[in-house]
Amino acid sequence: MKILIFTNSSLFVKIVSELVKHAQLVGIVIPEMENHDLFSTIEYADNQNIPLLKVSDSDLQETDKVDSFILNTGCSVSLVMTFPFKFPERILSIPERGTSNVHY
């Protein structure tokens, strides 16, 4: 299974080692706003050569920037972990197995 993660927290890095035992992480989406808590997530993506996309709320609502990124990853499911923006329906339904919100 190919997974795409939407996150706004470094907590993601602490659980990713278990996720990648069972699935392939094909992309990470984070908010473009300054957030020191995301440094370890950015570093993880860079070290593992995982595509990373920084987005604004308007990117989700008004452009196909996020849609194209999701499609290019080939993900089968996306997981949302502490992401601060509301998703339009079109983005939630792009992965064939949908999108799930994960609460720690």
Side-chain angles (χ1 to χ4, degrees), residues 3-5 7 9-28 40-41 44-45 48 50 79 81 104:
I3 296 176
L4 173 70
I5 303 288
T7 190
S9 173
S10 63
L11 290 173
F12 154 76
V13 176
K14 295 176 182 175
I15 66 164
V16 73
S17 60
E18 287 301 313
L19 280 174
V20 297
K21 289 180 183 177
H22 308 286
Q24 179 185 3
L25 181 57
V26 295
I28 301 170
S40 59
T41 299
Y44 177 84
Q48 300 298 316
I50 297 169
L79 302 177
M81 302 175 174
Y104 297 104

Side-chain angles (χ1 to χ4, degrees), residues 20-69:
V20 297
K21 289 180 183 177
H22 308 286
Q24 179 185 3
L25 181 57
V26 295
I28 301 170
V29 180
I30 61 173
E32 69 180 6
M33 63 184 127
E34 184 72 24
N35 179 346
H36 298 290
D37 190 39
L38 283 173
F39 289 150
S40 59
T41 299
I42 295 167
E43 181 179 41
Y44 177 84
D46 188 47
N47 290 340
Q48 300 298 316
N49 295 317
I50 297 169
L52 178 78
L53 179 66
K54 295 180 180 181
V55 299
S56 67
D57 187 32
S58 63
D59 289 332
L60 291 171
Q61 305 303 326
E62 299 171 9
T63 72
D64 66 350
K65 176 180 178 178
V66 179
D67 303 47
S68 296
F69 183 79

